């Protein structure tokens, strides 16, 4: 399903659901730094978060293009997909690399909304972007692994039943290769909370439900290891293209929201006896933001099409995320400028969306790391780190 006409009903259904969650809802949560439980429940009930789970496990079995359209529409409606976007892509690691028993055990529950797989524990405070230097260890002890260490920026950990966790199972110096020795676990956080897991919320500039998590002799059944021990880095990488494409689609939705808001305000706001949008100094930044958004949108579509055709889309997914994050941030800045003082007023929602969309040039991967990926893997330049 790739053409616009096929996706129109999905887009319409998402918009109609989002209409029940207007600006006041998000403003209240933002003030309280509270989790949008009702919004996430509504998306789950409607099946949108199970878009990429195959039908045999109770999901909708939709394409990446359709999933991207869902995330885009959420953002374009003024809502925020960040409290739940991981549920869409994190399960891909389980789907592609989990055993038949693991998939049967978890995917139908996730699809029905009974199990939340929202937490993704990769980043650590000391190693940051240098994932291969992470320090959390998982040591085999009989039919369990014992996990010790710390993660940071583990978003939604307080609102998730399961966490996909990357930990080192072979000391770096003993690993077969630079990328070997890391493993992926599906951690049942409901059990772990009384078994060595501590979660501490981190308050951020936007309402993001992010946390730091600590593992102290946390025991995870060996049957929760995903795939083969030591190959976890590859499994996590294989899920990153989906993550990049979906977050890029969210940025496109944000950009559309900012551009709509700005164009509408510029048409209506009269200063010096004429609409401000009659001034080219106001028009041009809106037009520029629109052009940037449309160009980024093409790359998102190309990346999604390659992904669903089973082709390598590493470069396109990275470029899509980069262009879309830049486009949404440029549109956010333009929107504030177009609104003048009102761009800063809470009730216009612009300052909230401005703070929310700022994240995406940093996470899930920062601009520099994308540029270095393209430099090295596409342009053949020497590896810089
Ligand atoms: C709100 C929020 C939510 C997040 N959610 C999650 C989550 O759910 N799960 C998870 O695992 N992680 C999550 N992250 C982590 C996020 O993916 C990282 O913050 C991001 O990848 C950047 O890593 P870092 O913060 O460690 O920065 P660092 O690696 O410390 O880098 C700092 C800066 O230096 C630059 N830099 C570093 N090395 C180089 C180099 N060799 N060349 C050029 N520039 C370089 C980076 O680009 C960056 O700008 C989240 C982060 C935030 C802020």
């Amino acid at each position: 399903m790739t053409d616009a006409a096929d996706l129109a009903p999905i887009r319409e259904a998402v918009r109609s659901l989002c209409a029940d969650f207007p600006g006041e809802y998000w403003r209240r949560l933002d003030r309280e730094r509270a989790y949008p439980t009702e919004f996430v429940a509504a998306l789950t009930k409607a099946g949108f978060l199970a878009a990429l789970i195959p039908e045999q496990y109770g999901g909708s079995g939709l394409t990446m293009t359709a999933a991207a359209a869902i995330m885009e529409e959420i953002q374009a409606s003024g809502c925020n997909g960040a409290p739940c976007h991981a549920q869409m892509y994190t399960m891909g690691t389980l789907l592609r690399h989990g055993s038949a028993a693991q998939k049967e055990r978890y995917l139908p529950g996730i699809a029905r909304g009974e199990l939340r797989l929202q937490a993704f524990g990769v980043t650590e405070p000391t190693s940051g972007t240098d994932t291969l230097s992470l320090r959390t260890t998982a040591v085999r002890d009989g039919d369990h692994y014992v996990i010790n260490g710390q993660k940071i920026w583990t978003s939604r950990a307080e609102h998730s039943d399961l966490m996909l966790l990357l930990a080192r199972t072979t000391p770096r110096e003993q690993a077969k290769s630079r990328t070997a020795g890391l493993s992926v676990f599906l951690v049942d956080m409901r059990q772990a909370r009384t078994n060595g897991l501590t979660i501490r919320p981190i308050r951020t500039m936007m309402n993001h439900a992010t946390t730091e998590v600590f593992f102290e002799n946390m025991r995870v059944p060996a049957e929760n290891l995903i795939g083969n021990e030591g190959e976890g880095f590859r499994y996590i990488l294989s899920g990153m293209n989906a993550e990049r494409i979906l977050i890029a689609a969210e940025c496109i939705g944000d950009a559309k929201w900012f551009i709509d808001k700005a164009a509408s305000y510029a048409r209506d706001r009269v200063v010096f006896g004429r609409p401000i949008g009659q001034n080219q100094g106001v028009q041009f930044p809106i037009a520029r933001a629109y052009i940037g958004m449309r160009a980024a949108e093409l790359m998102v579509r190309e990346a999604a099409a390659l992904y669903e055709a089973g082709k390598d889309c590493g470069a396109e997914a990275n470029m899509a995320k980069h262009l879309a994050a830049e486009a949404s941030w440029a549109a956010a800045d333009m929107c504030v400028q177009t609104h003048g003082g009102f761009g800063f007023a809470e009730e216009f929602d612009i300052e909230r969306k401005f703070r929310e969309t700022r994240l995406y040039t940093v996470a899930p991967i920062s601009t520099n790391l994308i540029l270095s990926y393209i430099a090295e893997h596409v342009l053949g330049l020497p590896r810089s780190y």
Side-chain angles (χ1 to χ4, degrees):
M1 185 194 284
T2 50
D3 70 86
D6 284 342
L7 293 178
I10 292 183
R11 289 183 181 275
E12 182 48 45
V14 176
R15 281 205 171 248
S16 146
L17 184 153
C18 288
D20 291 337
F21 299 92
E24 305 89 77
Y25 174 76
W26 296 100
R27 289 198 287 274
R28 178 178 59 76
L29 297 176
D30 187 59
R31 277 196 293 272
E32 298 167 3
R33 289 293 189 272
Y35 190 74
T37 308
E38 311 77 8
F39 175 69
V40 176
L43 282 177
T44 309
K45 186 161 171 252
F48 291 129
L49 298 186
L52 292 174
I53 298 181
E55 283 170 307
Q56 74 176 109
Y57 300 110
S60 332
L62 294 176
T63 59
M64 179 54 72
T65 302
I70 292 170
M71 297 318 296
E72 181 196 313
E73 289 301 332
I74 290 173
Q75 302 301 118
S77 305
C79 298
N80 187 5
C84 51
H85 54 200
Q87 177 111 338
M88 258 198 195
Y89 51 74
T90 307
M91 67 82 210
T93 304
L94 172 62
L95 183 64
R96 277 187 302 277
H97 307 289
S99 66
Q102 287 170 333
K103 288 190 252 192
E104 277 303 336
R105 181 163 172 205
Y106 294 108
L107 288 176
I110 296 170
R112 284 194 300 273
E114 291 160 11
L115 272 179
R116 299 166 301 171
L117 174 50
Q118 296 279 11
F120 187 45
V122 174
T123 310
E124 297 192 0
T126 48
S127 48
T129 310
D130 182 8
T131 307
L132 293 173
S133 300
L134 63 76
R135 294 185 185 174
T136 296
T137 55
V139 177
R140 184 78 188 238
D141 178 27
D143 54 4
H144 282 76
Y145 282 87
V146 180
I147 302 196
N148 281 288
Q150 180 188 353
K151 297 285 172 184
I152 193 166
W153 309 120
T154 312
S155 302
R156 304 160 296 271
E158 297 166 291
H159 306 280
S160 189
D161 302 309
L162 304 168
M163 178 194 332
L164 207 65
L165 174 71
L166 187 65
R168 184 159 283 288
T169 37
T170 306
R172 208 168 177 185
E173 51 290 356
Q174 292 168 22
K176 278 187 293 194
S177 69
R178 201 175 68 85
T179 54
L182 298 174
S183 301
V184 175
F185 298 90
L186 194 60
V187 177
D188 191 326
M189 297 170 78
R190 297 163 301 179
Q191 292 161 10
R193 273 167 209 213
T194 51
N195 159 34
L197 172 71
T198 306
I199 305 174
R200 286 199 204 131
I202 305 177
R203 202 176 159 93
T204 52
M205 69 189 256
M206 67 297 187
N207 183 19
H208 198 85
T210 198
T211 71
E212 53 185 341
V213 295
F214 301 85
F215 314 108
E216 203 184 334
N217 294 323
M218 180 178 79
R219 295 181 75 80
V220 174
E223 64 189 28
N224 285 30
L225 172 75
I226 305 268
N228 298 323
E229 189 185 290
E231 293 184 20
F233 185 65
R234 184 167 65 81
Y235 303 157
I236 292 291
L237 278 190
S238 81
M240 285 187 170
N241 289 334
E243 181 188 55
R244 308 239 196 290
I245 295 168
L246 289 169
I247 287 184
E250 288 181 57
C251 291
I252 297 296
D254 275 346
K256 287 185 177 176
W257 185 89
F258 287 119
I259 292 164
D260 261 17
K261 277 262 173 197
S264 144
Y265 190 73
R267 278 191 295 268
D268 295 344
R269 168 78 167 164
V270 174
V271 178
F272 294 112
R274 59 182 184 172
I276 56 168
Q278 202 174 332
N279 303 302
Q280 289 186 327
V282 174
Q283 288 179 357
F284 286 3
I286 307 176
R288 190 180 294 280
Y290 180 78
I291 293 168
M293 177 277 291
R294 289 296 308 273
E297 187 179 39
L298 288 178
M299 188 57 81
V300 179
R301 289 189 179 168
E302 178 167 343
L306 287 170
Y307 181 97
E308 64 202 33
K311 296 192 178 146
D312 180 18
C313 64
E316 288 76 11
N318 273 292
M319 290 190 286
K321 147 72 176 61
H322 177 72
L323 289 169
E326 298 258 310
S328 72
W329 178 236
D333 192 42
M334 171 282 292
C335 192
V336 170
Q337 198 69 21
T338 305
H339 281 76
F342 287 115
F344 297 84
E346 192 188 41
E347 67 170 294
F348 278 66
D349 292 311
I350 295 162
E351 59 83 34
R352 171 179 63 81
K353 293 279 281 180
F354 177 93
R355 287 182 280 115
E356 287 170 359
T357 214
R358 181 63 184 85
L359 177 64
Y360 298 117
T361 54
V362 172
I365 182 166
S366 64
T367 301
N368 281 359
L369 273 291
I370 291 188
L371 295 176
S372 85
Y373 176 93
I374 298 298
E376 184 187 333
H377 296 280
V378 179
L379 302 175
L381 293 166
R383 186 178 174 81
S384 68
Y385 59 89

